[in-house]
Amino acid sequence: MNNRLKVLRAERSWSQADLAERLEVSRQSVNAIETGRYDPSLPLAFRIADVFDMAIEEIFLRD
Amino acid sequence: MATVQYSRPGLWIGLFLASAGVIAALKLTEAINPTTAFLWFAISMLLLVPMIRSMKAAGPTGSSNSAAAIRYTKRIGISSALYVLGLGIAITLDRNRGLSTALAFAIAMLPVLPIFGMIWSMGRYLVEERDEYLRHRAAMASLAGLGLLLGVASFWGFLETFGIVPHAEGWWAVPIWAVGMGLSQGWMSYRDRARDGA
């Protein structure tokens, strides 16, 4: 599943560690999701959406 | 990015796996006797102490060393040390004395109970780990260890049937599973670092 995490993060000048801290996950998790190696669960996807104050479908895109 | 945070534990894990591999190779080629192999392996277990300390020093933030992972490593370290100790005592007693069936059963429990401890530790980690990606990695590593064990056991079994290799004791199952799990975790850590900041 594609996502816009890297772009959204860059727009806010957040590092992966910054986002990881906000999501209360490891930086590896952010990296794995960002690079498309891991698709987050629905609860984590909602947390990501909340952090960016956006809808899930505005962050995660269909292949 | 902060790759240094988990490089030191990786060093100790690598040293431990390398020493275990060398000892196993020396034992399998009969370059050293079982008692010497046991002693060297018991000594190599000491490498787990600095590994746990370096994981604690790295801390849970921004690295793969979550609080659950540190607890898991500590539990596995203790279980592994007790396993090696129990295995050594059980084998030594079995070789040097004629044991009754009841006593042999009791002594067999010495290494088996720590194995239960390892399995329990793995289960607790999967329950306690709050980071779903790290939990996913642990589950995948466990499956990789299981895959290695099934592959090696099946291959070795056929070789043994055809009289090519000697009989292997069933208790090799746990070390093979653990090696597969460790290699898998190492590979995933390497992959994560290779794509770090991509």
Side-chain angles (χ1 to χ4, degrees):
Chain A
M1 189 165 56
N2 295 319
N3 67 75
R4 299 177 56 227
L5 271 190
K6 190 176 180 182
V7 173
L8 295 171
R9 191 167 56 75
E11 285 173 358
R12 290 157 179 78
S13 300
W14 291 349
S15 66
Q16 287 185 342
D18 293 333
L19 179 57
E21 197 173 340
R22 285 173 165 83
L23 293 170
E24 297 182 336
V25 298
S26 66
R27 191 186 49 75
Q28 284 96 324
S29 297
V30 171
N31 189 35
I33 295 167
E34 204 170 84
T35 53
R37 281 180 293 113
Y38 178 73
D39 291 331
S41 67
L42 203 49
L44 180 53
F46 271 115
R47 290 219 307 273
I48 293 169
D50 287 344
V51 163
F52 287 112
D53 198 22
M54 298 172 81
I56 288 178
E57 58 269 31
E58 292 178 285
I59 302 171
F60 294 97
L61 315 166
R62 294 175 199 271
D63 285 328
Chain B
M1 302 298 285
T3 55
V4 178
Q5 284 177 311
Y6 49 98
S7 62
R8 281 192 65 210
L11 172 70
W12 295 113
I13 292 168
L15 280 173
F16 173 70
L17 289 176
S19 60
V22 169
I23 294 164
L26 290 172
K27 164 71 178 64
L28 287 173
T29 56
E30 297 184 351
I32 56 175
N33 62 42
T35 306
T36 307
F38 164 68
L39 287 173
W40 277 112
F41 195 71
I43 291 169
S44 74
M45 296 292 295
L46 294 173
L47 290 168
L48 296 176
V49 175
M51 182 190 77
I52 293 169
R53 284 185 176 169
S54 60
M55 285 180 77
K56 280 182 177 173
T61 306
S63 76
S64 59
N65 308 326
S66 66
I70 292 170
R71 278 198 298 274
Y72 164 76
T73 308
K74 197 173 179 179
R75 288 166 181 163
I76 285 289
I78 292 169
S79 298
S80 301
L82 290 173
Y83 171 72
V84 171
L85 191 65
L87 185 64
I89 292 170
I91 289 175
T92 304
L93 287 176
D94 180 53
R95 284 189 179 147
N96 297 337
R97 300 161 190 224
L99 300 175
S100 66
T101 304
L103 191 57
F105 184 88
I107 287 173
M109 295 309 286
L110 288 174
V112 169
L113 288 176
I115 288 174
F116 292 162
M118 291 180 202
I119 296 167
W120 173 80
S121 302
M122 187 69 200
R124 285 309 304 166
Y125 176 70
L126 292 173
V127 169
E128 292 173 5
E129 179 57 72
R130 296 181 64 192
D131 188 311
E132 64 179 56
Y133 173 64
L134 297 182
R135 198 167 56 233
H136 165 76
R137 268 183 38 164
M140 294 304 289
S142 183
L143 285 174
L146 181 62
L148 180 70
L149 170 61
L150 294 175
V152 169
S154 302
F155 188 38
W156 192 277
F158 280 112
L159 293 177
E160 194 178 319
T161 300
F162 301 143
I164 299 170
V165 296
H167 175 67
E169 306 285 355
W171 47 258
W172 275 104
V174 170
I176 292 171
W177 173 69
V179 166
M181 203 162 62
L183 288 175
S184 177
Q185 281 283 16
W187 161 249
M188 287 187 279
S189 293
Y190 169 77
R191 190 187 56 185
D192 280 354
R193 276 178 283 183
R195 298 194 183 187
D196 209 5

